[in-house]
Amino acid sequence: MIHFVVDSTFCVDEKFKQEHDIKVVGLSVLLDGKTYNETNTEHWQEFYEALKNSKNFPKTTQPSPEEFTNTFDEILSNDKDAQIIVLTLTQSFSGTYNCAKMLAESYNGKVTVIDSENACESALLLLEELVKARDEGKSVQQIVDLAEELKPKLSVQFVPTTMEYLRKGGRISLIKSIIANILQFKPIIRTKQNVLSIAKKCFGMKKTIEEMLNMFVGKVKKMYIVYVYESPFLQYIKDRVKTLFSDLDVEAKCVSPVIGSHVGIGAVGVACLEK
């Protein structure tokens, strides 16, 4: 049987994890002397509250080699014929892919590692499609080929409420963040195929959200609304998505701390799988 292992930035909920036997290895964030492991979703609120009140920026750590190998060994002990597919967040954000790839070499072809080239819920969309392919009886190679086919169709984009978190995380300079906040300039920040970019620039949150959604009208197969902890614009984007994408059943999902801390509390966006 084919088994899937993903990292915690995929934001896999407990129901999907149990129904499809998904194993999750955890990234962690360290803030003000306390470590928060993302696999414990009950700690997400505690972390984000601490981040709101902290002057410091968190440090992130990838899953340990032992967590990977323990997960692989557990699967193989229960299913000696198991084939394991590991999906990770984009390697441009973390060394998780390289770590898993190196460890897979010791398992004699039983472990295959795929860089999703995406992050958070856009990586989750990829996982969902690959799980469906497994359940339809596809082989490991067919699933790998499908992943390569789907990657260019996946992206996640955020509109931050403030540029402060991006500045603290080293994504933009202090001067740029000050100017942007004063002028209410909002970028649409996109992650796609291992590349972080600014897809478009607008003024004002609602205008920018509208521009972001209009980029996908008529083009989307599946979508998630994504948000970082809490946002005054979450209901607005829900209403606009319901109007513009009335043919889709779109769920809103919170982003995990590793990704969310860089985009910033209050950010909203969409993860999309295009047709």
Side-chain angles (χ1 to χ4, degrees):
M1 181 178 174
I2 297 173
H3 300 258
F4 285 94
V5 177
V6 300
D7 67 61
S8 55
T9 65
F10 280 60
C11 305
V12 181
D13 64 38
E14 193 64 30
K15 181 181 178 182
F16 188 83
K17 186 168 63 174
Q18 294 298 328
E19 286 180 352
H20 300 283
D21 192 27
I22 310 296
K23 301 296 184 184
V24 179
V25 294
L27 281 80
S28 299
V29 284
L30 173 65
L31 180 65
D32 297 330
K34 184 168 183 177
T35 298
Y36 304 82
N37 189 299
E38 284 193 332
T39 53
N40 189 342
T41 56
E42 293 179 359
H43 288 172
W44 290 16
Q45 179 176 353
E46 182 184 353
F47 167 78
Y48 279 125
E49 285 296 326
L51 181 63
K52 279 202 306 186
N53 298 310
S54 179
K55 295 181 180 180
N56 300 315
F57 193 79
K59 295 181 179 180
T60 62
T61 59
Q62 64 195 46
S64 68
E66 290 76 19
E67 187 171 5
F68 271 120
T69 55
N70 288 344
T71 302
F72 299 161
D73 293 343
E74 178 188 352
I75 293 171
L76 290 166
S77 68
N78 293 322
D79 178 6
K80 62 182 179 61
D81 297 318
Q83 292 290 315
I84 301 170
I85 296 178
V86 184
L87 286 169
T88 72
L89 81 163
T90 168
Q91 61 179 305
S92 63
F93 287 2
S94 168
T96 303
Y97 168 78
N98 290 328
C99 178
K101 187 75 172 175
M102 179 186 67
L103 294 170
E105 294 175 0
S106 303
Y107 285 83
N108 300 316
K110 289 184 173 292
V111 180
T112 301
V113 185
I114 300 173
D115 177 2
S116 74
E117 299 182 5
N118 280 270
C120 55
E121 278 75 4
S122 61
L124 176 59
L125 287 168
L126 177 62
L127 172 65
E128 290 171 350
E129 294 299 302
L130 300 189
V131 167
K132 187 187 304 181
R134 177 199 65 183
D135 294 346
E136 292 171 352
K138 298 294 193 296
S139 67
V140 170
Q141 188 56 56
Q142 287 173 317
I143 291 172
V144 170
D145 292 342
L146 177 60
E148 294 306 312
E149 177 186 332
L150 292 174
K151 286 178 188 180
K153 300 177 182 180
L154 289 158
S155 64
V156 61
Q157 29 280 312
F158 289 96
V159 181
T161 55
T162 172
M163 307 293 279
E164 183 64 12
Y165 295 94
L166 288 163
R167 181 191 68 79
K168 285 183 177 180
R171 300 296 178 181
I172 59 171
S173 70
L174 174 60
I175 293 174
K176 286 182 179 178
S177 68
I178 291 173
I179 291 173
N181 283 328
I182 290 174
L183 297 177
Q184 292 300 299
F185 156 75
K186 301 297 180 185
I188 300 170
I189 299 168
R190 172 181 289 175
T191 299
K192 182 173 183 174
Q193 290 188 279
N194 281 330
V195 177
L196 179 69
S197 64
I198 294 179
K200 206 164 188 178
K201 304 174 185 178
C202 303
F203 289 95
M205 280 293 294
K206 289 185 177 180
K207 173 66 174 175
T208 310
I209 290 170
E210 198 73 21
E211 289 291 327
M212 175 183 64
L213 296 178
N214 283 335
M215 293 191 297
F216 296 100
V217 172
K219 300 178 181 179
V220 177
K221 178 182 176 182
K222 293 178 69 176
M223 172 186 284
Y224 281 116
I225 295 169
V226 291
Y227 64 97
V228 182
Y229 185 45
E230 56 187 22
S231 173
F233 296 96
L234 180 56
Q235 189 58 52
Y236 178 79
I237 193 171
K238 284 181 178 180
D239 292 341
R240 295 305 297 143
V241 165
K242 186 175 181 179
T243 299
L244 294 171
F245 304 91
S246 57
D247 58 324
L248 299 178
D249 183 16
V250 181
E251 180 184 352
K253 292 179 70 71
C254 184
V255 176
S256 71
V258 166
I259 303 298
S261 58
H262 283 83
V263 183
I265 292 171
V268 292
V270 286
C272 297
L273 171 59
E274 296 184 49
K275 295 177 182 176

